[in-house]
Amino acid sequence: MPNLMLLPKHIILVRHGESEGNKDPSAYTTTPDHKISLTEHGRAQARLAGSRLRDLISDNGSSHDWRVYFYVSPYERTRSTLREIGKSFSKKRVIGVREECRIREQDFGNFQVEERMRITKQTREKFGRFFYRFLEGESAADVFDRVSSFLESLWRDIDLNRLGNDPSQELNLIIISHGLASRVFLMKWFRWTVEQFEQLYNPGNCEIRVMELGPGGEYSLAIHHTDEELRGWGLSDEMIEDQKWRIKADRTNLHGHCKGYLNSFFDQELDSDEDIKEGDIVSDNEFEDVKEDIDSDNDYKDICVPNS
């Protein structure tokens, strides 16, 4: 477990500002996704986000001993967002910037044909947003895997103090990424299920989502954000209650906090071995009888189904 003295006070997710692709999806038909730039409005959004981030981290100027470390997706729109955000921070406040490929946008393929992409996204809604994989691209599950790898590296960086921060200074991490990557990041961090992920909404352009450190060493979204905000992101009442619990949770005792998830798989009425009914227990002999019946059915199919 990382040294609590080295843990960042805030881990902040920021989606890029409005891009040319957000304004006009036809841009993806002629411009590679990673080269899509910000609009003028998007740059203004990023400058405003920078001012808000500085106020948040400095507690509106009342906190003086703090530093920031930035992680940024390699896409043009995220890099440009960082340039605009950076105008609110002096160099002495920034201890590092790292371009991180694992927090890039979900790959949708190469050049995107607008009408085909519209139909594909409709199909994704029917199939399920987490597991649907775009042709020549990725699924959200693929993004989850690489974001999980990034999180492992992040923890090592924090634990070994590879970020080079003075423990006497408040460290703040700002991750400038994309809508789906941000949702997947939170999913991995807070151990949300696939069903819970499917209910989440993308953050808006330059929207800020703040994970703040509680006294027990655990992070929560409910310190900085209201119930109404969290509900607007798609969090259920149960997920919001979990965020509130995390405010004062002890990081060393998180494994015991999974009763609700256990109840979705195991009978809540079975508190002891004596509660298990004999009829619910399958013996080895009964299992062999079922297996023989299945094997017999397969033998029948082997006889009746002609070779193709």
PDB file of all heavy atoms in Angstrom, residues 102 104-107 138-148 180-181 184:
ATOM      1  N   ARG A 102      -1.732   5.422 -22.856  1.00  0.00           N
ATOM      2  CA  ARG A 102      -2.761   4.506 -22.368  1.00  0.00           C
ATOM      3  C   ARG A 102      -4.054   5.210 -21.972  1.00  0.00           C
ATOM      4  O   ARG A 102      -5.055   4.541 -21.728  1.00  0.00           O
ATOM      5  CB  ARG A 102      -2.206   3.681 -21.198  1.00  0.00           C
ATOM      6  CG  ARG A 102      -1.172   2.666 -21.626  1.00  0.00           C
ATOM      7  CD  ARG A 102      -0.499   1.998 -20.435  1.00  0.00           C
ATOM      8  NE  ARG A 102       0.344   2.925 -19.693  1.00  0.00           N
ATOM      9  CZ  ARG A 102       1.082   2.585 -18.632  1.00  0.00           C
ATOM     10  NH1 ARG A 102       1.049   1.335 -18.188  1.00  0.00           N
ATOM     11  NH2 ARG A 102       1.830   3.487 -18.016  1.00  0.00           N
ATOM     12  N   ARG A 104      -5.432   7.513 -24.006  1.00  0.00           N
ATOM     13  CA  ARG A 104      -5.926   8.104 -25.253  1.00  0.00           C
ATOM     14  C   ARG A 104      -7.400   7.738 -25.466  1.00  0.00           C
ATOM     15  O   ARG A 104      -7.962   6.912 -24.757  1.00  0.00           O
ATOM     16  CB  ARG A 104      -5.101   7.623 -26.440  1.00  0.00           C
ATOM     17  CG  ARG A 104      -5.288   6.154 -26.769  1.00  0.00           C
ATOM     18  CD  ARG A 104      -4.352   5.682 -27.867  1.00  0.00           C
ATOM     19  NE  ARG A 104      -4.619   4.308 -28.261  1.00  0.00           N
ATOM     20  CZ  ARG A 104      -4.130   3.249 -27.645  1.00  0.00           C
ATOM     21  NH1 ARG A 104      -3.335   3.394 -26.581  1.00  0.00           N
ATOM     22  NH2 ARG A 104      -4.414   2.026 -28.073  1.00  0.00           N
ATOM     23  N   GLU A 105      -7.988   8.357 -26.492  1.00  0.00           N
ATOM     24  CA  GLU A 105      -9.377   8.096 -26.851  1.00  0.00           C
ATOM     25  C   GLU A 105      -9.568   6.640 -27.277  1.00  0.00           C
ATOM     26  O   GLU A 105      -8.619   5.976 -27.727  1.00  0.00           O
ATOM     27  CB  GLU A 105      -9.780   9.029 -27.998  1.00  0.00           C
ATOM     28  CG  GLU A 105     -11.175   8.818 -28.568  1.00  0.00           C
ATOM     29  CD  GLU A 105     -12.284   9.137 -27.587  1.00  0.00           C
ATOM     30  OE1 GLU A 105     -12.435   8.357 -26.617  1.00  0.00           O
ATOM     31  OE2 GLU A 105     -12.985  10.135 -27.795  1.00  0.00           O
ATOM     32  N   GLN A 106     -10.775   6.143 -27.115  1.00  0.00           N
ATOM     33  CA  GLN A 106     -11.119   4.836 -27.666  1.00  0.00           C
ATOM     34  C   GLN A 106     -10.881   4.870 -29.174  1.00  0.00           C
ATOM     35  O   GLN A 106     -11.263   5.822 -29.848  1.00  0.00           O
ATOM     36  CB  GLN A 106     -12.586   4.516 -27.383  1.00  0.00           C
ATOM     37  CG  GLN A 106     -13.056   3.180 -27.966  1.00  0.00           C
ATOM     38  CD  GLN A 106     -14.533   2.922 -27.683  1.00  0.00           C
ATOM     39  OE1 GLN A 106     -15.239   3.809 -27.196  1.00  0.00           O
ATOM     40  NE2 GLN A 106     -14.999   1.730 -27.984  1.00  0.00           N
ATOM     41  N   ASP A 107     -10.246   3.825 -29.704  1.00  0.00           N
ATOM     42  CA  ASP A 107     -10.009   3.752 -31.149  1.00  0.00           C
ATOM     43  C   ASP A 107     -11.282   3.300 -31.849  1.00  0.00           C
ATOM     44  O   ASP A 107     -11.815   2.229 -31.556  1.00  0.00           O
ATOM     45  CB  ASP A 107      -8.863   2.773 -31.463  1.00  0.00           C
ATOM     46  CG  ASP A 107      -7.505   3.313 -31.023  1.00  0.00           C
ATOM     47  OD1 ASP A 107      -7.357   4.547 -30.992  1.00  0.00           O
ATOM     48  OD2 ASP A 107      -6.610   2.500 -30.718  1.00  0.00           O
ATOM     49  N   GLU A 138     -11.569  -0.436 -31.050  1.00  0.00           N
ATOM     50  CA  GLU A 138     -11.564  -1.000 -29.715  1.00  0.00           C
ATOM     51  C   GLU A 138     -12.976  -1.032 -29.122  1.00  0.00           C
ATOM     52  O   GLU A 138     -13.865  -0.303 -29.555  1.00  0.00           O
ATOM     53  CB  GLU A 138     -10.719  -0.133 -28.767  1.00  0.00           C
ATOM     54  CG  GLU A 138      -9.238  -0.131 -29.011  1.00  0.00           C
ATOM     55  CD  GLU A 138      -8.541   0.762 -27.992  1.00  0.00           C
ATOM     56  OE1 GLU A 138      -8.858   1.967 -27.924  1.00  0.00           O
ATOM     57  OE2 GLU A 138      -7.674   0.246 -27.249  1.00  0.00           O
ATOM     58  N   SER A 139     -13.119  -1.852 -28.107  1.00  0.00           N
ATOM     59  CA  SER A 139     -14.300  -1.812 -27.239  1.00  0.00           C
ATOM     60  C   SER A 139     -13.929  -1.029 -25.984  1.00  0.00           C
ATOM     61  O   SER A 139     -12.745  -0.776 -25.718  1.00  0.00           O
ATOM     62  CB  SER A 139     -14.730  -3.227 -26.854  1.00  0.00           C
ATOM     63  OG  SER A 139     -13.734  -3.837 -26.049  1.00  0.00           O
ATOM     64  N   ALA A 140     -14.934  -0.663 -25.201  1.00  0.00           N
ATOM     65  CA  ALA A 140     -14.646  -0.043 -23.907  1.00  0.00           C
ATOM     66  C   ALA A 140     -13.878  -1.011 -23.010  1.00  0.00           C
ATOM     67  O   ALA A 140     -13.062  -0.589 -22.182  1.00  0.00           O
ATOM     68  CB  ALA A 140     -15.943   0.395 -23.229  1.00  0.00           C
ATOM     69  N   ALA A 141     -14.111  -2.307 -23.187  1.00  0.00           N
ATOM     70  CA  ALA A 141     -13.367  -3.309 -22.412  1.00  0.00           C
ATOM     71  C   ALA A 141     -11.880  -3.262 -22.748  1.00  0.00           C
ATOM     72  O   ALA A 141     -11.027  -3.444 -21.870  1.00  0.00           O
ATOM     73  CB  ALA A 141     -13.933  -4.709 -22.693  1.00  0.00           C
ATOM     74  N   ASP A 142     -11.554  -3.020 -24.014  1.00  0.00           N
ATOM     75  CA  ASP A 142     -10.146  -2.872 -24.403  1.00  0.00           C
ATOM     76  C   ASP A 142      -9.533  -1.644 -23.741  1.00  0.00           C
ATOM     77  O   ASP A 142      -8.387  -1.676 -23.265  1.00  0.00           O
ATOM     78  CB  ASP A 142     -10.020  -2.739 -25.926  1.00  0.00           C
ATOM     79  CG  ASP A 142     -10.469  -3.982 -26.670  1.00  0.00           C
ATOM     80  OD1 ASP A 142     -10.243  -5.094 -26.156  1.00  0.00           O
ATOM     81  OD2 ASP A 142     -11.057  -3.844 -27.762  1.00  0.00           O
ATOM     82  N   VAL A 143     -10.290  -0.554 -23.719  1.00  0.00           N
ATOM     83  CA  VAL A 143      -9.811   0.672 -23.066  1.00  0.00           C
ATOM     84  C   VAL A 143      -9.612   0.415 -21.573  1.00  0.00           C
ATOM     85  O   VAL A 143      -8.638   0.879 -20.977  1.00  0.00           O
ATOM     86  CB  VAL A 143     -10.798   1.837 -23.290  1.00  0.00           C
ATOM     87  CG1 VAL A 143     -10.298   3.104 -22.600  1.00  0.00           C
ATOM     88  CG2 VAL A 143     -10.992   2.096 -24.784  1.00  0.00           C
ATOM     89  N   PHE A 144     -10.526  -0.348 -20.974  1.00  0.00           N
ATOM     90  CA  PHE A 144     -10.410  -0.696 -19.558  1.00  0.00           C
ATOM     91  C   PHE A 144      -9.075  -1.385 -19.277  1.00  0.00           C
ATOM     92  O   PHE A 144      -8.408  -1.089 -18.279  1.00  0.00           O
ATOM     93  CB  PHE A 144     -11.568  -1.619 -19.163  1.00  0.00           C
ATOM     94  CG  PHE A 144     -11.563  -2.055 -17.721  1.00  0.00           C
ATOM     95  CD1 PHE A 144     -12.255  -1.332 -16.760  1.00  0.00           C
ATOM     96  CD2 PHE A 144     -10.877  -3.194 -17.328  1.00  0.00           C
ATOM     97  CE1 PHE A 144     -12.258  -1.737 -15.427  1.00  0.00           C
ATOM     98  CE2 PHE A 144     -10.865  -3.606 -16.013  1.00  0.00           C
ATOM     99  CZ  PHE A 144     -11.560  -2.872 -15.052  1.00  0.00           C
ATOM    100  N   ASP A 145      -8.671  -2.296 -20.166  1.00  0.00           N
ATOM    101  CA  ASP A 145      -7.428  -3.035 -19.951  1.00  0.00           C
ATOM    102  C   ASP A 145      -6.214  -2.110 -19.948  1.00  0.00           C
ATOM    103  O   ASP A 145      -5.326  -2.226 -19.092  1.00  0.00           O
ATOM    104  CB  ASP A 145      -7.257  -4.112 -21.028  1.00  0.00           C
ATOM    105  CG  ASP A 145      -8.270  -5.234 -20.875  1.00  0.00           C
ATOM    106  OD1 ASP A 145      -8.834  -5.385 -19.778  1.00  0.00           O
ATOM    107  OD2 ASP A 145      -8.508  -5.966 -21.869  1.00  0.00           O
ATOM    108  N   ARG A 146      -6.160  -1.175 -20.908  1.00  0.00           N
ATOM    109  CA  ARG A 146      -4.976  -0.308 -20.946  1.00  0.00           C
ATOM    110  C   ARG A 146      -5.014   0.762 -19.851  1.00  0.00           C
ATOM    111  O   ARG A 146      -3.961   1.130 -19.309  1.00  0.00           O
ATOM    112  CB  ARG A 146      -4.766   0.311 -22.320  1.00  0.00           C
ATOM    113  CG  ARG A 146      -5.908   1.075 -22.953  1.00  0.00           C
ATOM    114  CD  ARG A 146      -5.428   1.645 -24.294  1.00  0.00           C
ATOM    115  NE  ARG A 146      -6.469   2.118 -25.170  1.00  0.00           N
ATOM    116  CZ  ARG A 146      -7.037   3.314 -25.112  1.00  0.00           C
ATOM    117  NH1 ARG A 146      -6.674   4.158 -24.163  1.00  0.00           N
ATOM    118  NH2 ARG A 146      -7.963   3.680 -26.001  1.00  0.00           N
ATOM    119  N   VAL A 147      -6.205   1.230 -19.487  1.00  0.00           N
ATOM    120  CA  VAL A 147      -6.310   2.179 -18.375  1.00  0.00           C
ATOM    121  C   VAL A 147      -5.936   1.488 -17.060  1.00  0.00           C
ATOM    122  O   VAL A 147      -5.309   2.092 -16.189  1.00  0.00           O
ATOM    123  CB  VAL A 147      -7.728   2.784 -18.304  1.00  0.00           C
ATOM    124  CG1 VAL A 147      -7.937   3.535 -16.989  1.00  0.00           C
ATOM    125  CG2 VAL A 147      -7.951   3.733 -19.480  1.00  0.00           C
ATOM    126  N   SER A 148      -6.275   0.207 -16.925  1.00  0.00           N
ATOM    127  CA  SER A 148      -5.888  -0.560 -15.733  1.00  0.00           C
ATOM    128  C   SER A 148      -4.369  -0.642 -15.635  1.00  0.00           C
ATOM    129  O   SER A 148      -3.794  -0.503 -14.545  1.00  0.00           O
ATOM    130  CB  SER A 148      -6.479  -1.968 -15.789  1.00  0.00           C
ATOM    131  OG  SER A 148      -7.892  -1.928 -15.762  1.00  0.00           O
ATOM    132  N   LEU A 180     -14.757   8.625 -22.627  1.00  0.00           N
ATOM    133  CA  LEU A 180     -14.863   7.218 -22.251  1.00  0.00           C
ATOM    134  C   LEU A 180     -13.692   6.792 -21.374  1.00  0.00           C
ATOM    135  O   LEU A 180     -13.871   6.055 -20.404  1.00  0.00           O
ATOM    136  CB  LEU A 180     -14.947   6.335 -23.493  1.00  0.00           C
ATOM    137  CG  LEU A 180     -15.152   4.854 -23.143  1.00  0.00           C
ATOM    138  CD1 LEU A 180     -16.292   4.242 -23.939  1.00  0.00           C
ATOM    139  CD2 LEU A 180     -13.869   4.055 -23.381  1.00  0.00           C
ATOM    140  N   ALA A 181     -12.494   7.263 -21.684  1.00  0.00           N
ATOM    141  CA  ALA A 181     -11.330   6.899 -20.879  1.00  0.00           C
ATOM    142  C   ALA A 181     -11.509   7.358 -19.432  1.00  0.00           C
ATOM    143  O   ALA A 181     -11.109   6.657 -18.494  1.00  0.00           O
ATOM    144  CB  ALA A 181     -10.062   7.501 -21.479  1.00  0.00           C
ATOM    145  N   VAL A 184     -14.010   4.981 -17.728  1.00  0.00           N
ATOM    146  CA  VAL A 184     -13.361   3.699 -17.459  1.00  0.00           C
ATOM    147  C   VAL A 184     -12.367   3.825 -16.302  1.00  0.00           C
ATOM    148  O   VAL A 184     -12.234   2.914 -15.480  1.00  0.00           O
ATOM    149  CB  VAL A 184     -12.671   3.191 -18.747  1.00  0.00           C
ATOM    150  CG1 VAL A 184     -11.699   2.077 -18.429  1.00  0.00           C
ATOM    151  CG2 VAL A 184     -13.709   2.707 -19.750  1.00  0.00           C
TER     152      VAL A 184
END
